[in-house]
Coordinates of all heavy atoms in Angstrom, one line a residue:
E28 N 1.4 14.8 -1.5 CA 2.0 16.1 -1.6 C 1.2 17.2 -1.0 O 1.7 18.1 -0.3 CB 2.4 16.4 -3.1 CG 3.5 15.6 -3.7 CD 3.9 16.0 -5.1 OE1 3.0 16.1 -5.9 OE2 5.1 16.1 -5.3
R29 N -0.1 17.1 -1.3 CA -1.0 18.1 -0.7 C -1.1 18.1 0.8 O -1.3 19.1 1.5 CB -2.4 18.0 -1.3 CG -2.5 18.6 -2.7 CD -3.9 18.5 -3.2 NE -4.3 17.2 -3.6 CZ -5.6 16.8 -3.8 NH1 -6.6 17.7 -3.7 NH2 -5.9 15.6 -4.1
K30 N -0.9 16.9 1.4 CA -0.8 16.7 2.8 C 0.5 17.2 3.4 O 0.6 17.5 4.6 CB -1.1 15.2 3.1 CG -1.1 14.9 4.6 CD -2.4 15.3 5.3 CE -2.3 14.8 6.8 NZ -3.5 15.3 7.5
G31 N 1.5 17.4 2.5 CA 2.8 17.9 2.9 C 3.8 16.9 3.3 O 4.9 17.2 3.7
Y32 N 3.5 15.6 3.0 CA 4.5 14.6 3.3 C 5.6 14.7 2.2 O 5.4 15.0 1.1 CB 3.8 13.2 3.2 CG 2.8 12.9 4.3 CD1 1.6 12.3 4.0 CD2 3.0 13.4 5.6 CE1 0.6 12.1 5.0 CE2 2.1 13.2 6.6 CZ 0.9 12.5 6.3 OH -0.1 12.3 7.2
A33 N 6.8 14.3 2.7 CA 8.0 14.3 1.7 C 8.0 12.9 1.0 O 7.8 11.9 1.7 CB 9.2 14.5 2.5
L34 N 8.4 12.9 -0.2 CA 8.7 11.7 -1.0 C 10.2 11.4 -0.8 O 11.0 12.1 -1.4 CB 8.3 11.8 -2.4 CG 6.8 12.1 -2.8 CD1 6.7 12.3 -4.3 CD2 6.0 10.9 -2.3
D35 N 10.5 10.4 -0.1 CA 11.9 10.0 0.1 C 12.5 9.1 -1.0 O 13.7 9.1 -1.3 CB 12.1 9.4 1.5 CG 11.8 10.3 2.6 OD1 11.7 11.5 2.4 OD2 11.7 9.8 3.8
A36 N 11.6 8.3 -1.5 CA 12.0 7.3 -2.5 C 10.8 6.8 -3.2 O 9.7 6.7 -2.7 CB 12.7 6.1 -1.9
L37 N 10.9 6.4 -4.5 CA 9.8 5.9 -5.3 C 10.3 5.1 -6.4 O 11.3 5.4 -7.1 CB 9.1 7.2 -5.9 CG 7.9 7.0 -6.7 CD1 7.0 8.2 -6.6 CD2 8.2 6.8 -8.2
K38 N 9.7 3.9 -6.7 CA 10.1 3.1 -7.8 C 8.9 2.3 -8.3 O 8.0 2.0 -7.6 CB 11.3 2.2 -7.5 CG 11.1 1.2 -6.3 CD 12.2 0.2 -6.2 CE 13.4 0.7 -5.4 NZ 14.1 -0.4 -4.7
V39 N 9.0 1.9 -9.6 CA 8.0 1.0 -10.2 C 8.6 -0.4 -10.1 O 9.8 -0.6 -10.5 CB 7.7 1.4 -11.7 CG1 6.7 0.4 -12.3 CG2 7.2 2.8 -11.8
I40 N 7.8 -1.4 -9.6 CA 8.4 -2.7 -9.4 C 7.5 -3.7 -10.1 O 6.3 -3.8 -10.0 CB 8.4 -3.0 -7.9 CG1 9.2 -1.9 -7.2 CG2 8.9 -4.4 -7.6 CD1 9.2 -2.1 -5.7
P41 N 8.2 -4.5 -11.0 CA 7.4 -5.6 -11.7 C 6.9 -6.7 -10.7 O 7.5 -6.7 -9.6 CB 8.4 -6.2 -12.7 CG 9.7 -5.6 -12.4 CD 9.6 -4.5 -11.4
P42 N 5.9 -7.5 -11.1 CA 5.4 -8.5 -10.2 C 6.6 -9.3 -9.6 O 7.4 -9.8 -10.3 CB 4.5 -9.4 -11.1 CG 4.1 -8.4 -12.1 CD 5.2 -7.5 -12.4
N43 N 6.5 -9.5 -8.2 CA 7.6 -10.3 -7.5 C 6.9 -11.0 -6.4 O 6.8 -10.5 -5.3 CB 8.6 -9.3 -7.0 CG 9.8 -10.0 -6.4 OD1 9.7 -11.0 -5.7 ND2 11.0 -9.4 -6.6
V44 N 6.6 -12.3 -6.6 CA 5.8 -13.1 -5.7 C 6.7 -13.3 -4.4 O 6.1 -13.2 -3.3 CB 5.5 -14.5 -6.3 CG1 5.0 -15.5 -5.2 CG2 4.4 -14.3 -7.3
E45 N 8.0 -13.5 -4.5 CA 8.8 -13.7 -3.3 C 8.7 -12.5 -2.4 O 8.5 -12.7 -1.2 CB 10.2 -13.9 -3.8 CG 11.1 -14.6 -2.8 CD 12.5 -14.9 -3.4 OE1 12.5 -15.6 -4.5 OE2 13.5 -14.5 -2.9
K46 N 8.9 -11.3 -2.9 CA 8.9 -10.1 -2.1 C 7.4 -9.9 -1.5 O 7.3 -9.5 -0.4 CB 9.3 -8.9 -2.8 CG 10.8 -8.8 -2.9 CD 11.2 -7.4 -3.6 CE 12.7 -7.3 -3.9 NZ 13.5 -7.2 -2.7
L47 N 6.4 -10.2 -2.3 CA 5.1 -10.0 -1.8 C 4.7 -11.0 -0.7 O 4.1 -10.6 0.3 CB 4.1 -10.2 -3.0 CG 4.1 -9.1 -4.0 CD1 3.3 -9.5 -5.2 CD2 3.4 -7.8 -3.4
E48 N 5.2 -12.2 -0.8 CA 5.0 -13.2 0.3 C 5.7 -12.7 1.6 O 5.1 -12.9 2.7 CB 5.5 -14.6 -0.1 CG 4.5 -15.2 -1.1 CD 4.9 -16.6 -1.6 OE1 6.1 -17.0 -1.4 OE2 4.0 -17.3 -2.2
E49 N 6.8 -12.1 1.5 CA 7.5 -11.6 2.6 C 6.8 -10.4 3.2 O 6.6 -10.2 4.4 CB 8.9 -11.1 2.2 CG 10.0 -11.1 3.3 CD 11.3 -10.6 2.7 OE1 11.6 -10.8 1.5 OE2 12.1 -10.1 3.5
H50 N 6.3 -9.5 2.3 CA 5.6 -8.3 2.7 C 4.3 -8.7 3.5 O 4.0 -8.0 4.5 CB 5.2 -7.5 1.4 CG 4.4 -6.3 1.7 ND1 4.9 -5.1 2.0 CD2 3.0 -6.1 1.7 CE1 3.9 -4.2 2.2 NE2 2.8 -4.8 2.0
Y51 N 3.6 -9.7 3.0 CA 2.4 -10.1 3.6 C 2.5 -11.3 4.6 O 1.5 -12.0 4.8 CB 1.3 -10.3 2.6 CG 0.6 -9.0 2.1 CD1 0.6 -8.8 0.7 CD2 0.1 -8.1 2.9 CE1 0.0 -7.6 0.2 CE2 -0.5 -6.9 2.4 CZ -0.5 -6.7 1.1 OH -1.1 -5.5 0.6
A52 N 3.7 -11.5 5.1 CA 4.0 -12.7 5.9 C 3.0 -12.8 7.1 O 2.7 -13.9 7.5 CB 5.4 -12.6 6.4
E53 N 2.6 -11.7 7.6 CA 1.6 -11.7 8.8 C 0.3 -12.4 8.4 O -0.4 -12.9 9.3 CB 1.4 -10.3 9.3 CG 0.6 -9.4 8.3 CD 0.1 -8.1 8.9 OE1 -0.6 -8.1 9.9 OE2 0.4 -7.1 8.2
H54 N 0.0 -12.5 7.1 CA -1.3 -13.1 6.7 C -1.1 -14.5 6.1 O -2.1 -15.1 5.7 CB -1.9 -12.2 5.6 CG -2.3 -10.8 6.1 ND1 -3.1 -10.6 7.2 CD2 -2.0 -9.6 5.6 CE1 -3.2 -9.3 7.4 NE2 -2.6 -8.7 6.5
A55 N 0.2 -15.0 6.1 CA 0.4 -16.4 5.6 C -0.5 -17.4 6.4 O -0.6 -17.3 7.6 CB 1.9 -16.7 5.8
G56 N -1.1 -18.3 5.6 CA -1.9 -19.3 6.2 C -3.4 -18.9 6.3 O -4.3 -19.7 6.5
K57 N -3.7 -17.6 6.1 CA -5.1 -17.1 6.2 C -5.8 -17.5 4.8 O -5.1 -17.6 3.8 CB -5.2 -15.6 6.4 CG -4.7 -15.2 7.8 CD -4.9 -13.7 8.0 CE -4.3 -13.4 9.4 NZ -4.2 -11.9 9.6
S58 N -7.1 -17.6 4.8 CA -7.8 -18.1 3.6 C -7.6 -17.1 2.5 O -7.6 -17.5 1.3 CB -9.3 -18.2 3.9 OG -9.8 -17.0 4.4
F59 N -7.5 -15.8 2.8 CA -7.3 -14.9 1.7 C -5.9 -14.7 1.2 O -5.7 -13.9 0.2 CB -8.0 -13.5 2.0 CG -7.3 -12.8 3.2 CD1 -6.2 -12.0 2.9 CD2 -7.8 -12.8 4.4 CE1 -5.6 -11.3 4.0 CE2 -7.2 -12.1 5.5 CZ -6.1 -11.3 5.2
F60 N -4.9 -15.3 1.8 CA -3.5 -15.1 1.4 C -3.2 -15.4 0.0 O -2.6 -14.6 -0.7 CB -2.6 -15.9 2.4 CG -1.1 -15.7 2.2 CD1 -0.6 -14.5 2.6 CD2 -0.3 -16.6 1.6 CE1 0.8 -14.2 2.4 CE2 1.0 -16.4 1.4 CZ 1.6 -15.2 1.8
P61 N -3.6 -16.6 -0.6 CA -3.3 -16.9 -2.0 C -3.9 -15.9 -2.9 O -3.3 -15.4 -3.9 CB -3.9 -18.3 -2.2 CG -4.0 -18.9 -0.9 CD -4.3 -17.8 0.1
G62 N -5.1 -15.4 -2.6 CA -5.8 -14.5 -3.5 C -5.1 -13.1 -3.4 O -5.0 -12.4 -4.4
V63 N -4.6 -12.7 -2.2 CA -3.9 -11.5 -2.1 C -2.6 -11.5 -2.9 O -2.3 -10.5 -3.6 CB -3.6 -11.1 -0.6 CG1 -2.6 -10.0 -0.5 CG2 -4.9 -10.7 0.0
I64 N -1.9 -12.6 -2.8 CA -0.6 -12.7 -3.6 C -0.9 -12.7 -5.1 O -0.2 -12.0 -5.8 CB 0.2 -14.0 -3.2 CG1 0.5 -14.0 -1.7 CG2 1.4 -14.2 -4.0 CD1 1.4 -12.8 -1.2
S65 N -1.9 -13.4 -5.5 CA -2.2 -13.4 -6.9 C -2.7 -12.0 -7.4 O -2.3 -11.5 -8.5 CB -3.3 -14.5 -7.2 OG -4.2 -14.1 -8.0

Side-chain angles (χ1 to χ4, degrees):
E28 290 185 311
R29 283 185 285 165
K30 181 76 178 173
Y32 296 137
L34 297 178
D35 294 348
L37 182 152
K38 61 170 84 150
V39 180
I40 302 177
N43 186 322
V44 169
E45 199 173 305
K46 281 187 189 289
L47 287 166
E48 286 179 345
E49 205 182 333
H50 176 86
Y51 281 126
E53 64 170 310
H54 298 306
K57 295 184 186 171
S58 59
F59 64 83
F60 185 73
V63 166
I64 299 301
S65 139

